[in-house]
């Protein structure tokens, strides 16, 4: 298995034999994992708030979740892009609609991949385990958090942790978790200058292997869906 890192700013799309993990630790694919813990059956991806609203017309029970660039909540949505906000809610049997900037864009750019997964630290080992079982010839870890003013080290750390698992190195999660907290974007969480980025979110995002499932992203009827490994029924 050939493993490489790519960056959303320069990545031009997946080859047909490629497996892609779209890595978004802060916060899309951490939020997604907590949505599955809350009981959602599938998570529909929306590139814009208007697209999210039109998905809700099709799935009236769907919970809307998301943020605009910078992480600010979206008017009229049920939840922000916030794992902490989802910790104690029950969404059993409902769909979720996830509208975020980086995570959804990454999934869209890589949509032609033979295998497409949403990745974050909370399900990193499970993601590596699924890749090992599928054994694709090429794996790309697509980093979504690198911008001119952000080092994206939360995603680089997660990608390197997944890579270490793929290479059977039994990595200690502590240094990778620390890098999430110390990344450029990570340092904004809990800073009063960014009240929409909570310390509680950081505490959840910076914990490795909380969940034992990976999150495949599949295409159905013109939609992109994140599903929980082992629980998805079409
Ligand atoms: O809501 C978030 O934490 C981020 C904000 S930004 O788009 O990176 O500025 O969104 P995400 O798509 O989860 O990276």
């Amino acid at each position: 298995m050939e493993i490489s890192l790519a960056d959303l700013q320069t990545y031009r799309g997946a080859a047909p034999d490629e497996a892609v993990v779209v890595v978004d630790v802060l916060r899309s694919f951490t939020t997604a994992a907590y949505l599955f813990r809350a009981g959602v059956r599938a998570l529909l991806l929306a590139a814009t708030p208007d697209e999210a609203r039109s998905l809700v017309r099709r799935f009236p029970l769907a919970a809307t979740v998301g943020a605009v660039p910078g992480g600010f909540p979206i008017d009229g949505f049920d939840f922000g892009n916030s794992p902490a906000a989802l910790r104690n809610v029950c969404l059993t049997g409902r769909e979720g609609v996830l509208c975020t900037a980086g995570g959804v864009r990454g999934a869209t750019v890589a949509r032609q991949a033979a295998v497409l997964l949403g990745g974050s630290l909370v399900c990193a080992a499970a993601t590596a385990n699924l890749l090992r079982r599928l054994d694709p010839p090429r794996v790309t870890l697509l980093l979504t958090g690198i911008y001119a003013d952000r080092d994206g080290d939360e995603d680089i750390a997660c990608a390197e942790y997944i890579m270490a698992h793929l290479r059977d190195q039994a990595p200690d999660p502590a240094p990778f978790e620390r890098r999430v907290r110390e990344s450029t974007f990570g340092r904004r969480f809990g800073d009063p200058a960014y009240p929409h980025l909570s310390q509680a979110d950081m505490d959840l995002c910076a914990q490795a292997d909380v969940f034992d499932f990976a999150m495949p992203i599949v295409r159905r009827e013109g939609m992109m869906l994140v599903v929980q490994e082992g629980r998805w029924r079409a």
Side-chain angles (χ1 to χ4, degrees):
M1 188 188 295
E2 183 190 312
I3 309 167
S4 53
L5 300 189
D7 160 11
L8 192 50
Q9 312 307 335
T10 53
Y11 187 70
R12 289 289 161 261
D17 65 345
E18 195 173 331
V20 177
V21 182
V22 182
V23 181
D24 193 338
V25 175
L26 298 173
R27 294 167 285 179
S28 290
F29 291 120
T30 306
T31 296
Y34 276 87
L35 277 161
F36 289 120
R37 191 181 89 151
V40 298
R41 58 186 297 274
L43 202 46
L44 318 173
L45 296 183
T48 63
D50 278 347
E51 192 181 327
R53 290 181 193 106
S54 87
L55 285 168
V56 171
R57 284 193 283 279
R58 199 162 155 193
F59 299 92
L61 294 181
T64 44
V65 181
V68 295
F72 300 95
I74 302 172
D75 274 352
F77 271 41
D78 298 310
F79 301 98
N81 181 17
S82 166
L86 295 158
R87 227 176 345 182
N88 297 313
V89 299
C90 176
L91 300 170
T92 303
R94 294 171 61 181
E95 292 85 13
V97 173
L98 183 67
C99 176
T100 60
V104 174
R105 191 168 147 230
T108 306
V109 170
R111 65 186 176 282
Q112 302 297 350
V115 174
L116 185 58
L117 305 174
S120 60
L121 206 58
V122 292
C123 54
T127 302
N129 288 341
L130 178 59
L131 286 170
R132 281 209 299 216
R133 290 201 300 279
L134 297 173
D135 197 23
R138 299 167 56 190
V139 174
T140 299
L141 299 157
L142 179 57
L143 313 166
T144 62
I146 301 175
Y147 294 90
D149 64 338
R150 294 192 209 163
D151 60 14
D153 201 45
E154 72 278 17
D155 292 341
I156 302 170
C158 179
E160 289 177 359
Y161 184 66
I162 291 172
M163 225 186 302
H165 273 288
L166 288 172
R167 293 179 175 145
D168 276 331
Q169 291 167 344
D172 170 6
F176 299 93
E177 294 172 335
R178 201 172 314 123
R179 283 169 60 188
V180 173
R181 292 179 187 277
E182 292 174 358
S183 63
T184 327
F185 191 39
R187 286 197 302 269
R188 295 185 190 171
F189 287 75
D191 178 337
Y194 301 92
H196 57 295
L197 303 174
S198 70
Q199 186 61 49
D201 270 355
M202 173 51 70
D203 292 342
L204 296 180
C205 291
Q207 260 187 296
D209 306 326
V210 176
F211 299 112
D212 63 358
F213 56 81
M215 297 186 291
I217 303 173
V218 298
R219 286 189 284 165
R220 291 287 182 281
E221 299 168 24
M223 299 176 295
M224 292 187 83
L225 272 62
V226 189
V227 300
Q228 182 180 345
E229 178 195 2
R231 280 197 51 210
W232 168 243
R233 303 276 177 279

